[in-house]
Amino acid sequence: MVDQIVFGIGITALAGALATVAGAAEDTESDIGSQGDPNSQVQLAPQMGYIHRIFNKAIAGEPPAYGLWVALGAGVAWALMAMQVNAVLAIILGSALAVFVQGIYATTAYLGRIASLAKFGQPVYIDIIKSMTTVTMAHAFVAVFTTVTVCYLINVALGHPFPLPLLGLVWGIALGAAGSATGNPFYGKERQYQSQKFGAGVPIAASGNIVRYAEAGERNSLDNGWFSSKLGGPASGVCFGLIVFFELWRTVIFEEIANGWGAVIVGILVILIFAVIDRYIEIWARKTYGPYGKPEEAA
Amino acid sequence: MTVKVEVKEGGMPHNQILATGLIGSLVGIYITYLNNILGTDLLAFFGGIAATLALYWGSHTIKRLASYGIGTGVPSAGMIAFGSGVIGFLFATRFAIGGGILVPIIAVIAAAVIGAVAGVMANTILKMHIPVMVSALIEMSIVGALTLMGLSALVTGSFTFDALVTSRISFFGMELTTYESSLIGGSIIAVLFLLGGIAIQHPFNACLGPSWEQDRMLMLALECGFLSMIPAAVISFAFISMAAATISFVVAIVGWFYTYYRYIELARRDAAFWLDAKPIKEPEAGH
Amino acid sequence: MVVLETLGIMVILIALIGIIIGGVLIGFGVHFVPVGGAPAAMGQAPGIATGVAMLAAGAGLAGLFGGAWAAELGLLVALAAGAVGGGLMMAITQLMVNIIYIFGMGIPVASGKVAKDPITGDTQTEFKSQGTEGHGLPFVSYAGGVIGGMLGGLGGTLIYVMLLDVYLDALPLIYSTNKEAIYLVAVSLAGIFAVGMFLVNAVLAAYNITGTIEGPHDPKFKRFPRDIVASAIATAVTGIFALGLVLV
């Protein structure tokens, strides 16, 4: 009994750690490719007369795209395991095939989007595809491999009823949702609009005027990956890691209490704690940063 | 300020694309049905062709719907297509009469009903009033069902419920029927769901913009179809004979390579400039 | 027909009603989730910087994961576990969103739609930076997101549990086998149908709010009654097909 709980805690911690790596890699990957919502600015810039050398990897929404990569990795791994291939090798091969598909999607998205911008004189830069697709594929491999491994642990070691590919779908979409929610604003505001004032949102009038030149030479998406791996990536990793950890932890440890209600009550407590932290930093920011102007008189 | 989806009409009329997709996809699925009669699984790869043709049609339907600016992204259209398509498809698979000869037709009808209800809801109750909404959701739901049926046939060689929930394994020379290592029991259906769900919306999502060209987008749709076939063919090694899975895999690779190559050529044709390791080409003043 | 005789029409009807309630909960829940879309990624509008349907699906499916895990402990526990799973995912994600805005970009949060946060009473307009519609997640949006995640997780789990119960009774009859042998087939079918219905309802709700919403204080929130009607009808039709699967 105690052994089982200790084992469960170990698996939970490992899954949380793997998920943290996954989240960080996922966000860095999507920022290098300008996937997700910041992509709208990369798409808009040439229209405003700002020709750039940024990767425009518009693949679906980030959550379903990651749902596909992870479910695909999990599905191929499942099929290989059904053919008696060892689990570790199966997960690696499955992730590799998923990343191949991801890389092809990345190139067709860039070519398609840029070719459709011909009217504004935005050239297709072939070297962007050559140098950046491989980097996003490497990051995607880290994200997919770790998430499929989390799913495998949940299925085999913790006994969740969903088969591996369905877990891949669920956690892939959750990974994309967490990464795009957390990391995207950091890339979208802080990096793309580095020339705008710090400590304020980007005025709508500035849309499309993204930073296109770097410290030396011209900015490309690898510079953006370097930047967002400082905060956006790790924060996304913490986000996804906490989600996986708390979902598993509350069930593994407290499900025995009161026929399952223990896990529910602990979950509610955790939600309340996060809400209090959120409220605290909200007030802290209001006090510390101060208002931009005067409050509107109540009409 | 976000990017406006521009309306641009292509050369081939939508009805022609619809007919090609619907008929081609049904023909492909019925060819896999011959597997039952001939007692083989070598024709499984036609399921992948069927899925590719359905996606070809679906991508153009999404383009038509998205031209109206539906307020939410293109990807959600793919998700509603497959969310309703998977239900119509799995419902139809249970009609096992004649080895499932009616399954594709029933899937089309069931998916059309679900798509029609969703479309009517969106247009009347949610007050969207988009002229093509009902027809587009019907079409996309059918595309979802046919794509899933094609890919399921590619993976298992058949598309009846019995074939999707059972698999045979040999255990010390004895043939055993199991349920947990089947297409549905193993949730491979979830993989096919997302393979199709991304492939249907990617062609338009990737090619949107003022210089959108129909032939380039449709070529990309074929490319996405063959690309989806590759992992499905790899998974099929766990379900059908080595020979059949190898044929599927080779067909997928050849088809993908050809369409990918053609797509790059079309992108090169349409691009403003095609540069390798060149600096930013600032537009000339006063353009 | 064997299935219908053995299970009885009442069981099927109750399952269908459960599925419809689940679909309505999902559609209703999506209206609570603060989604800003592309402008949110530039700090131009409040909300989470991703698509409505996708974010709701992320939270709802995380809830479904929790609910499915607790399914064998009984309906109420499973539903509660599903709701908490969805709420937890949103609580953590939204906290990290605010951390990025506040500590990464130095921007306080502010709503663009209301002058005062209805929950905390904080005034909003003076914290809105120039030329934007607000940014980040004010507390009312945060609370809305958690509620939305809970409703999504609850609805998804309800659909899953209803379908699973019917399939676990029906499939052994069809294949003359025991529940254990066919358990994974029932789980997968119920799971993929729950995902499918979830996405249909989430996209319909996203259409209803035309892509973005700030939370329960947003004027667009008042459109929810018509989505409830649309969700109920669309879910009823999909539910009939999903249950019909084992009846034909």
Tab-separated table of all heavy atoms in Angstrom, chain B residues 2 71-72 76 79 83-84 87 90-91 94 110 114 121 125-126 128 133 161-162 165 179-180 184-185 187 190 193, chain C residues 38 54 174-175 181 184-185 188-189 192-193 196 199-200 203-204 207-208 210-211 226-227 229-230 233 238 241 245 248:
chain	number	residue	atom	x	y	z
B	2	THR	N	-6.486	42.609	-37.488
B	2	THR	CA	-6.061	41.287	-37.930
B	2	THR	C	-6.176	41.194	-39.443
B	2	THR	O	-6.726	42.078	-40.086
B	2	THR	CB	-6.920	40.191	-37.291
B	2	THR	OG1	-8.270	40.531	-37.481
B	2	THR	CG2	-6.616	40.052	-35.819
B	71	GLY	N	-15.728	34.931	-38.040
B	71	GLY	CA	-15.452	35.477	-36.718
B	71	GLY	C	-14.524	34.624	-35.891
B	71	GLY	O	-13.922	35.086	-34.944
B	72	THR	N	-14.394	33.377	-36.234
B	72	THR	CA	-13.440	32.555	-35.524
B	72	THR	C	-12.566	31.874	-36.555
B	72	THR	O	-12.877	31.872	-37.727
B	72	THR	CB	-14.142	31.572	-34.576
B	72	THR	OG1	-13.153	30.854	-33.857
B	72	THR	CG2	-15.032	30.620	-35.321
B	76	SER	N	-11.174	25.987	-36.472
B	76	SER	CA	-12.380	25.481	-35.823
B	76	SER	C	-13.321	24.845	-36.837
B	76	SER	O	-14.083	23.935	-36.497
B	76	SER	CB	-13.073	26.599	-35.058
B	76	SER	OG	-13.422	27.630	-35.942
B	79	MET	N	-12.414	21.337	-37.043
B	79	MET	CA	-12.808	20.587	-35.847
B	79	MET	C	-14.292	20.241	-35.862
B	79	MET	O	-14.686	19.136	-35.502
B	79	MET	CB	-12.472	21.398	-34.592
B	79	MET	CG	-10.995	21.571	-34.349
B	79	MET	SD	-10.169	20.011	-33.982
B	79	MET	CE	-9.101	19.847	-35.389
B	83	GLY	N	-15.726	16.592	-35.841
B	83	GLY	CA	-16.553	16.285	-34.678
B	83	GLY	C	-17.888	15.695	-35.104
B	83	GLY	O	-18.366	14.710	-34.529
B	84	SER	N	-18.501	16.258	-36.139
B	84	SER	CA	-19.765	15.686	-36.595
B	84	SER	C	-19.529	14.496	-37.517
B	84	SER	O	-20.297	13.537	-37.498
B	84	SER	CB	-20.627	16.758	-37.270
B	84	SER	OG	-19.855	17.564	-38.120
B	87	ILE	N	-19.096	11.011	-35.811
B	87	ILE	CA	-20.317	10.402	-35.287
B	87	ILE	C	-21.094	9.743	-36.424
B	87	ILE	O	-21.543	8.600	-36.308
B	87	ILE	CB	-21.143	11.464	-34.540
B	87	ILE	CG1	-20.334	11.966	-33.327
B	87	ILE	CG2	-22.474	10.903	-34.096
B	87	ILE	CD1	-20.875	13.209	-32.681
B	90	LEU	N	-19.098	6.464	-37.548
B	90	LEU	CA	-19.160	5.282	-36.678
B	90	LEU	C	-20.569	4.716	-36.610
B	90	LEU	O	-20.761	3.497	-36.549
B	90	LEU	CB	-18.638	5.624	-35.280
B	90	LEU	CG	-17.119	5.773	-35.205
B	90	LEU	CD1	-16.685	6.223	-33.827
B	90	LEU	CD2	-16.416	4.467	-35.553
B	91	PHE	N	-21.572	5.609	-36.665
B	91	PHE	CA	-22.948	5.125	-36.686
B	91	PHE	C	-23.171	4.227	-37.898
B	91	PHE	O	-23.731	3.134	-37.795
B	91	PHE	CB	-23.900	6.327	-36.718
B	91	PHE	CG	-25.339	5.965	-36.953
B	91	PHE	CD1	-26.095	5.394	-35.943
B	91	PHE	CD2	-25.937	6.187	-38.187
B	91	PHE	CE1	-27.421	5.047	-36.157
B	91	PHE	CE2	-27.267	5.856	-38.412
B	91	PHE	CZ	-28.004	5.281	-37.389
B	94	ARG	N	-22.148	0.283	-38.401
B	94	ARG	CA	-22.874	-0.842	-37.812
B	94	ARG	C	-23.818	-1.520	-38.818
B	94	ARG	O	-24.342	-2.593	-38.535
B	94	ARG	CB	-23.667	-0.360	-36.597
B	94	ARG	CG	-22.805	-0.158	-35.375
B	94	ARG	CD	-22.628	-1.452	-34.587
B	94	ARG	NE	-23.847	-1.802	-33.883
B	94	ARG	CZ	-24.357	-3.020	-33.845
B	94	ARG	NH1	-23.775	-4.016	-34.467
B	94	ARG	NH2	-25.465	-3.258	-33.169
B	110	ALA	N	-25.980	10.108	-42.824
B	110	ALA	CA	-25.947	10.450	-41.400
B	110	ALA	C	-25.123	11.712	-41.166
B	110	ALA	O	-25.530	12.611	-40.422
B	110	ALA	CB	-25.376	9.280	-40.593
B	114	ILE	N	-26.300	15.450	-39.574
B	114	ILE	CA	-25.664	16.152	-38.453
B	114	ILE	C	-25.154	17.524	-38.907
B	114	ILE	O	-25.353	18.531	-38.229
B	114	ILE	CB	-24.504	15.302	-37.882
B	114	ILE	CG1	-25.057	13.984	-37.339
B	114	ILE	CG2	-23.778	16.060	-36.775
B	114	ILE	CD1	-23.996	13.004	-36.926
B	121	MET	N	-28.706	25.454	-37.102
B	121	MET	CA	-28.578	26.079	-35.779
B	121	MET	C	-27.749	27.366	-35.886
B	121	MET	O	-28.118	28.405	-35.347
B	121	MET	CB	-27.865	25.138	-34.793
B	121	MET	CG	-28.650	23.934	-34.357
B	121	MET	SD	-30.202	24.404	-33.621
B	121	MET	CE	-31.314	23.767	-34.798
B	125	ILE	N	-30.654	30.061	-35.246
B	125	ILE	CA	-30.701	30.364	-33.813
B	125	ILE	C	-29.531	31.252	-33.406
B	125	ILE	O	-29.691	32.185	-32.631
B	125	ILE	CB	-30.760	29.054	-33.012
B	125	ILE	CG1	-32.079	28.363	-33.351
B	125	ILE	CG2	-30.673	29.340	-31.516
B	125	ILE	CD1	-32.347	27.104	-32.645
B	126	LEU	N	-28.339	30.979	-33.940
B	126	LEU	CA	-27.203	31.831	-33.602
B	126	LEU	C	-27.136	33.071	-34.507
B	126	LEU	O	-26.210	33.863	-34.398
B	126	LEU	CB	-25.891	31.045	-33.680
B	126	LEU	CG	-25.821	29.796	-32.806
B	126	LEU	CD1	-24.468	29.132	-32.949
B	126	LEU	CD2	-26.069	30.125	-31.351
B	128	MET	N	-26.358	33.782	-37.630
B	128	MET	CA	-25.167	34.123	-38.414
B	128	MET	C	-25.526	34.539	-39.831
B	128	MET	O	-24.829	35.328	-40.449
B	128	MET	CB	-24.196	32.956	-38.430
B	128	MET	CG	-23.624	32.676	-37.063
B	128	MET	SD	-22.368	31.447	-37.122
B	128	MET	CE	-20.991	32.400	-37.730
B	133	MET	N	-23.570	28.664	-45.148
B	133	MET	CA	-23.308	27.965	-43.894
B	133	MET	C	-23.859	26.539	-43.870
B	133	MET	O	-23.142	25.591	-43.556
B	133	MET	CB	-23.900	28.785	-42.734
B	133	MET	CG	-23.672	28.201	-41.363
B	133	MET	SD	-21.939	27.937	-41.012
B	133	MET	CE	-21.580	29.157	-39.810
B	161	PHE	N	-18.097	-2.113	-38.623
B	161	PHE	CA	-17.858	-1.986	-37.193
B	161	PHE	C	-17.114	-3.213	-36.661
B	161	PHE	O	-16.175	-3.095	-35.877
B	161	PHE	CB	-19.205	-1.825	-36.468
B	161	PHE	CG	-19.071	-1.374	-35.054
B	161	PHE	CD1	-18.695	-0.081	-34.765
B	161	PHE	CD2	-19.325	-2.245	-34.009
B	161	PHE	CE1	-18.574	0.353	-33.452
B	161	PHE	CE2	-19.206	-1.819	-32.698
B	161	PHE	CZ	-18.832	-0.517	-32.421
B	162	ASP	N	-17.528	-4.387	-37.143
B	162	ASP	CA	-16.883	-5.617	-36.669
B	162	ASP	C	-15.388	-5.580	-36.933
B	162	ASP	O	-14.581	-5.983	-36.094
B	162	ASP	CB	-17.496	-6.838	-37.366
B	162	ASP	CG	-18.924	-7.054	-36.917
B	162	ASP	OD1	-19.342	-6.362	-35.967
B	162	ASP	OD2	-19.619	-7.895	-37.516
B	165	VAL	N	-13.563	-3.123	-34.477
B	165	VAL	CA	-13.447	-3.388	-33.040
B	165	VAL	C	-12.771	-4.726	-32.731
B	165	VAL	O	-12.574	-5.061	-31.572
B	165	VAL	CB	-14.810	-3.338	-32.307
B	165	VAL	CG1	-15.433	-1.974	-32.439
B	165	VAL	CG2	-15.737	-4.420	-32.793
B	179	TYR	N	-10.327	-7.632	-28.670
B	179	TYR	CA	-10.987	-6.351	-28.911
B	179	TYR	C	-10.055	-5.196	-28.598
B	179	TYR	O	-10.115	-4.158	-29.229
B	179	TYR	CB	-12.252	-6.240	-28.054
B	179	TYR	CG	-13.279	-7.273	-28.425
B	179	TYR	CD1	-13.440	-8.432	-27.666
B	179	TYR	CD2	-14.078	-7.103	-29.550
B	179	TYR	CE1	-14.375	-9.388	-28.016
B	179	TYR	CE2	-15.011	-8.055	-29.907
B	179	TYR	CZ	-15.160	-9.196	-29.138
B	179	TYR	OH	-16.074	-10.133	-29.502
B	180	GLU	N	-9.161	-5.380	-27.612
B	180	GLU	CA	-8.411	-4.197	-27.161
B	180	GLU	C	-7.336	-3.743	-28.133
B	180	GLU	O	-6.926	-2.593	-28.096
B	180	GLU	CB	-7.818	-4.415	-25.750
B	180	GLU	CG	-6.814	-5.499	-25.652
B	180	GLU	CD	-7.464	-6.762	-25.111
B	180	GLU	OE1	-8.660	-7.002	-25.383
B	180	GLU	OE2	-6.780	-7.511	-24.418
B	184	ILE	N	-10.578	0.667	-32.993
B	184	ILE	CA	-11.317	1.467	-32.017
B	184	ILE	C	-10.838	1.148	-30.605
B	184	ILE	O	-10.618	2.049	-29.794
B	184	ILE	CB	-12.837	1.236	-32.172
B	184	ILE	CG1	-13.299	1.846	-33.495
B	184	ILE	CG2	-13.592	1.853	-31.003
B	184	ILE	CD1	-14.752	1.652	-33.797
B	185	GLY	N	-10.632	-0.129	-30.306
B	185	GLY	CA	-10.190	-0.503	-28.962
B	185	GLY	C	-8.876	0.161	-28.588
B	185	GLY	O	-8.622	0.446	-27.424
B	187	SER	N	-8.021	3.081	-29.827
B	187	SER	CA	-8.207	4.527	-30.055
B	187	SER	C	-7.370	5.072	-31.207
B	187	SER	O	-7.067	6.256	-31.243
B	187	SER	CB	-7.891	5.351	-28.802
B	187	SER	OG	-9.006	5.375	-27.969
B	190	ALA	N	-8.691	8.098	-32.833
B	190	ALA	CA	-8.355	9.457	-32.376
B	190	ALA	C	-7.244	10.047	-33.244
B	190	ALA	O	-7.241	11.235	-33.549
B	190	ALA	CB	-7.932	9.448	-30.912
B	193	PHE	N	-8.729	10.911	-36.592
B	193	PHE	CA	-9.563	12.101	-36.388
B	193	PHE	C	-8.733	13.364	-36.550
B	193	PHE	O	-9.090	14.275	-37.293
B	193	PHE	CB	-10.155	12.011	-34.975
B	193	PHE	CG	-11.055	13.147	-34.582
B	193	PHE	CD1	-12.429	13.026	-34.726
B	193	PHE	CD2	-10.546	14.314	-34.045
B	193	PHE	CE1	-13.261	14.065	-34.357
B	193	PHE	CE2	-11.372	15.352	-33.677
B	193	PHE	CZ	-12.736	15.228	-33.832
C	38	ALA	N	-6.122	36.889	-31.505
C	38	ALA	CA	-4.854	37.483	-31.933
C	38	ALA	C	-4.514	38.795	-31.205
C	38	ALA	O	-3.382	38.961	-30.767
C	38	ALA	CB	-4.871	37.686	-33.444
C	54	MET	N	-10.567	26.147	-29.213
C	54	MET	CA	-9.385	25.348	-28.891
C	54	MET	C	-9.067	25.391	-27.408
C	54	MET	O	-8.724	24.391	-26.804
C	54	MET	CB	-8.195	25.883	-29.670
C	54	MET	CG	-8.453	25.930	-31.155
C	54	MET	SD	-9.236	24.409	-31.685
C	54	MET	CE	-9.823	24.910	-33.258
C	174	ILE	N	-23.989	-7.595	-27.936
C	174	ILE	CA	-23.829	-7.696	-29.380
C	174	ILE	C	-22.769	-8.737	-29.715
C	174	ILE	O	-22.931	-9.537	-30.637
C	174	ILE	CB	-23.450	-6.323	-29.964
C	174	ILE	CG1	-24.620	-5.346	-29.772
C	174	ILE	CG2	-23.105	-6.435	-31.445
C	174	ILE	CD1	-24.276	-3.911	-30.103
C	175	TYR	N	-21.684	-8.737	-28.969
C	175	TYR	CA	-20.581	-9.637	-29.306
C	175	TYR	C	-20.543	-10.881	-28.423
C	175	TYR	O	-19.560	-11.620	-28.441
C	175	TYR	CB	-19.250	-8.877	-29.249
C	175	TYR	CG	-19.110	-7.963	-30.436
C	175	TYR	CD1	-19.412	-6.610	-30.348
C	175	TYR	CD2	-18.739	-8.471	-31.675
C	175	TYR	CE1	-19.329	-5.787	-31.447
C	175	TYR	CE2	-18.655	-7.656	-32.784
C	175	TYR	CZ	-18.947	-6.320	-32.662
C	175	TYR	OH	-18.876	-5.508	-33.759
C	181	ALA	N	-13.620	-7.914	-21.614
C	181	ALA	CA	-13.000	-8.101	-22.927
C	181	ALA	C	-13.221	-6.893	-23.817
C	181	ALA	O	-12.365	-6.518	-24.617
C	181	ALA	CB	-13.554	-9.364	-23.581
C	184	LEU	N	-12.198	-1.695	-23.424
C	184	LEU	CA	-11.466	-0.627	-24.105
C	184	LEU	C	-12.213	-0.105	-25.335
C	184	LEU	O	-12.103	1.064	-25.681
C	184	LEU	CB	-10.068	-1.099	-24.508
C	184	LEU	CG	-9.024	-1.063	-23.392
C	184	LEU	CD1	-7.684	-1.525	-23.918
C	184	LEU	CD2	-8.908	0.342	-22.816
C	185	VAL	N	-12.978	-0.990	-25.982
C	185	VAL	CA	-13.766	-0.530	-27.125
C	185	VAL	C	-14.806	0.478	-26.649
C	185	VAL	O	-14.989	1.553	-27.244
C	185	VAL	CB	-14.443	-1.718	-27.836
C	185	VAL	CG1	-15.420	-1.225	-28.894
C	185	VAL	CG2	-13.403	-2.623	-28.462
C	188	SER	N	-13.073	3.761	-25.687
C	188	SER	CA	-12.638	4.544	-26.847
C	188	SER	C	-13.814	5.169	-27.571
C	188	SER	O	-13.739	6.331	-27.990
C	188	SER	CB	-11.882	3.654	-27.832
C	188	SER	OG	-10.671	3.279	-27.283
C	189	LEU	N	-14.880	4.378	-27.746
C	189	LEU	CA	-16.050	4.919	-28.441
C	189	LEU	C	-16.624	6.096	-27.661
C	189	LEU	O	-16.868	7.172	-28.221
C	189	LEU	CB	-17.127	3.839	-28.571
C	189	LEU	CG	-17.045	2.884	-29.747
C	189	LEU	CD1	-18.193	1.894	-29.660
C	189	LEU	CD2	-17.117	3.630	-31.062
C	192	ILE	N	-14.129	9.113	-27.907
C	192	ILE	CA	-14.041	9.849	-29.165
C	192	ILE	C	-15.362	10.574	-29.455
C	192	ILE	O	-15.368	11.671	-30.002
C	192	ILE	CB	-13.603	8.917	-30.333
C	192	ILE	CG1	-13.091	9.742	-31.511
C	192	ILE	CG2	-14.719	8.019	-30.792
C	192	ILE	CD1	-11.723	10.287	-31.335
C	193	PHE	N	-16.484	9.969	-29.048
C	193	PHE	CA	-17.765	10.671	-29.226
C	193	PHE	C	-17.833	11.897	-28.325
C	193	PHE	O	-18.343	12.949	-28.718
C	193	PHE	CB	-18.941	9.739	-28.925
C	193	PHE	CG	-19.285	8.831	-30.074
C	193	PHE	CD1	-19.712	7.535	-29.844
C	193	PHE	CD2	-19.181	9.265	-31.380
C	193	PHE	CE1	-20.034	6.689	-30.889
C	193	PHE	CE2	-19.502	8.430	-32.440
C	193	PHE	CZ	-19.927	7.136	-32.182
C	196	GLY	N	-15.842	14.483	-30.006
C	196	GLY	CA	-16.555	14.990	-31.179
C	196	GLY	C	-17.665	15.950	-30.792
C	196	GLY	O	-17.777	17.066	-31.324
C	199	LEU	N	-16.337	19.241	-29.478
C	199	LEU	CA	-15.866	20.184	-30.492
C	199	LEU	C	-17.027	20.835	-31.227
C	199	LEU	O	-17.004	22.035	-31.506
C	199	LEU	CB	-14.919	19.478	-31.460
C	199	LEU	CG	-13.577	19.086	-30.835
C	199	LEU	CD1	-12.780	18.209	-31.775
C	199	LEU	CD2	-12.765	20.321	-30.471
C	200	VAL	N	-18.059	20.048	-31.544
C	200	VAL	CA	-19.212	20.630	-32.239
C	200	VAL	C	-19.818	21.748	-31.384
C	200	VAL	O	-20.061	22.870	-31.851
C	200	VAL	CB	-20.273	19.552	-32.547
C	200	VAL	CG1	-21.563	20.186	-33.041
C	200	VAL	CG2	-19.743	18.573	-33.590
C	203	VAL	N	-17.459	24.860	-31.065
C	203	VAL	CA	-17.396	25.697	-32.266
C	203	VAL	C	-18.695	26.484	-32.435
C	203	VAL	O	-18.675	27.670	-32.769
C	203	VAL	CB	-17.071	24.845	-33.511
C	203	VAL	CG1	-17.130	25.696	-34.765
C	203	VAL	CG2	-15.698	24.215	-33.384
C	204	LEU	N	-19.838	25.834	-32.162
C	204	LEU	CA	-21.103	26.574	-32.249
C	204	LEU	C	-21.096	27.750	-31.275
C	204	LEU	O	-21.510	28.862	-31.618
C	204	LEU	CB	-22.293	25.644	-31.960
C	204	LEU	CG	-22.703	24.698	-33.090
C	204	LEU	CD1	-23.864	23.815	-32.644
C	204	LEU	CD2	-23.093	25.460	-34.348
C	207	TYR	N	-18.994	30.480	-32.619
C	207	TYR	CA	-19.723	31.241	-33.635
C	207	TYR	C	-20.636	32.260	-32.955
C	207	TYR	O	-20.782	33.391	-33.403
C	207	TYR	CB	-20.573	30.311	-34.505
C	207	TYR	CG	-19.801	29.491	-35.522
C	207	TYR	CD1	-20.368	28.381	-36.124
C	207	TYR	CD2	-18.498	29.839	-35.895
C	207	TYR	CE1	-19.684	27.631	-37.063
C	207	TYR	CE2	-17.814	29.091	-36.826
C	207	TYR	CZ	-18.406	27.986	-37.410
C	207	TYR	OH	-17.719	27.252	-38.338
C	208	ASN	N	-21.256	31.830	-31.858
C	208	ASN	CA	-22.228	32.689	-31.179
C	208	ASN	C	-21.572	33.961	-30.645
C	208	ASN	O	-22.182	35.029	-30.663
C	208	ASN	CB	-22.892	31.923	-30.039
C	208	ASN	CG	-24.094	32.637	-29.484
C	208	ASN	OD1	-24.806	33.319	-30.221
C	208	ASN	ND2	-24.324	32.513	-28.198
C	210	THR	N	-18.836	35.252	-31.874
C	210	THR	CA	-17.983	35.725	-32.973
C	210	THR	C	-16.503	35.755	-32.606
C	210	THR	O	-15.787	36.707	-32.883
C	210	THR	CB	-18.405	37.117	-33.485
C	210	THR	OG1	-18.431	38.009	-32.372
C	210	THR	CG2	-19.748	37.079	-34.158
C	211	GLY	N	-16.048	34.710	-31.956
C	211	GLY	CA	-14.609	34.514	-31.816
C	211	GLY	C	-13.958	34.979	-30.539
C	211	GLY	O	-13.014	34.365	-30.089
C	226	ARG	N	-29.453	31.751	-26.688
C	226	ARG	CA	-29.675	31.157	-28.013
C	226	ARG	C	-28.686	30.038	-28.288
C	226	ARG	O	-29.011	29.074	-28.981
C	226	ARG	CB	-29.647	32.226	-29.095
C	226	ARG	CG	-28.345	32.969	-29.233
C	226	ARG	CD	-28.570	34.205	-30.089
C	226	ARG	NE	-27.315	34.631	-30.680
C	226	ARG	CZ	-27.104	35.841	-31.179
C	226	ARG	NH1	-28.061	36.741	-31.165
C	226	ARG	NH2	-25.958	36.144	-31.702
C	227	ASP	N	-27.495	30.124	-27.677
C	227	ASP	CA	-26.561	29.013	-27.857
C	227	ASP	C	-27.039	27.770	-27.123
C	227	ASP	O	-26.821	26.649	-27.572
C	227	ASP	CB	-25.166	29.389	-27.354
C	227	ASP	CG	-24.198	28.232	-27.532
C	227	ASP	OD1	-23.907	27.917	-28.693
C	227	ASP	OD2	-23.790	27.623	-26.542
C	229	VAL	N	-30.099	26.788	-26.804
C	229	VAL	CA	-31.061	26.131	-27.688
C	229	VAL	C	-30.321	25.378	-28.800
C	229	VAL	O	-30.576	24.202	-29.056
C	229	VAL	CB	-32.022	27.179	-28.296
C	229	VAL	CG1	-32.981	26.510	-29.267
C	229	VAL	CG2	-32.779	27.894	-27.193
C	230	ALA	N	-29.378	26.091	-29.439
C	230	ALA	CA	-28.658	25.473	-30.555
C	230	ALA	C	-27.880	24.247	-30.078
C	230	ALA	O	-27.895	23.192	-30.716
C	230	ALA	CB	-27.709	26.493	-31.178
C	233	ILE	N	-30.186	21.211	-29.363
C	233	ILE	CA	-30.693	20.526	-30.563
C	233	ILE	C	-29.553	19.760	-31.258
C	233	ILE	O	-29.698	18.593	-31.608
C	233	ILE	CB	-31.364	21.538	-31.511
C	233	ILE	CG1	-32.598	22.122	-30.814
C	233	ILE	CG2	-31.760	20.869	-32.817
C	233	ILE	CD1	-33.246	23.268	-31.539
C	238	THR	N	-26.719	14.518	-32.493
C	238	THR	CA	-25.503	13.698	-32.437
C	238	THR	C	-25.662	12.585	-31.403
C	238	THR	O	-25.188	11.472	-31.608
C	238	THR	CB	-24.283	14.561	-32.087
C	238	THR	OG1	-24.570	15.328	-30.925
C	238	THR	CG2	-23.892	15.486	-33.210
C	241	PHE	N	-27.518	9.617	-32.811
C	241	PHE	CA	-26.653	8.774	-33.652
C	241	PHE	C	-25.681	7.969	-32.790
C	241	PHE	O	-25.443	6.792	-33.043
C	241	PHE	CB	-25.877	9.635	-34.653
C	241	PHE	CG	-26.691	10.024	-35.849
C	241	PHE	CD1	-27.124	11.323	-36.041
C	241	PHE	CD2	-27.035	9.068	-36.793
C	241	PHE	CE1	-27.871	11.683	-37.136
C	241	PHE	CE2	-27.792	9.423	-37.908
C	241	PHE	CZ	-28.219	10.732	-38.078
C	245	LEU	N	-25.894	3.827	-32.514
C	245	LEU	CA	-24.811	2.918	-32.898
C	245	LEU	C	-25.011	1.518	-32.352
C	245	LEU	O	-24.798	0.532	-33.057
C	245	LEU	CB	-23.486	3.502	-32.383
C	245	LEU	CG	-22.236	2.673	-32.593
C	245	LEU	CD1	-21.744	2.859	-34.005
C	245	LEU	CD2	-21.158	3.085	-31.615
C	248	VAL	N	-28.940	-0.299	-33.645
C	248	VAL	CA	-29.329	-0.801	-34.975
C	248	VAL	C	-28.811	-2.216	-35.195
C	248	VAL	O	-27.839	-2.621	-34.584
C	248	VAL	CB	-28.804	0.108	-36.102
C	248	VAL	CG1	-29.526	1.432	-36.048
C	248	VAL	CG2	-27.314	0.277	-36.026
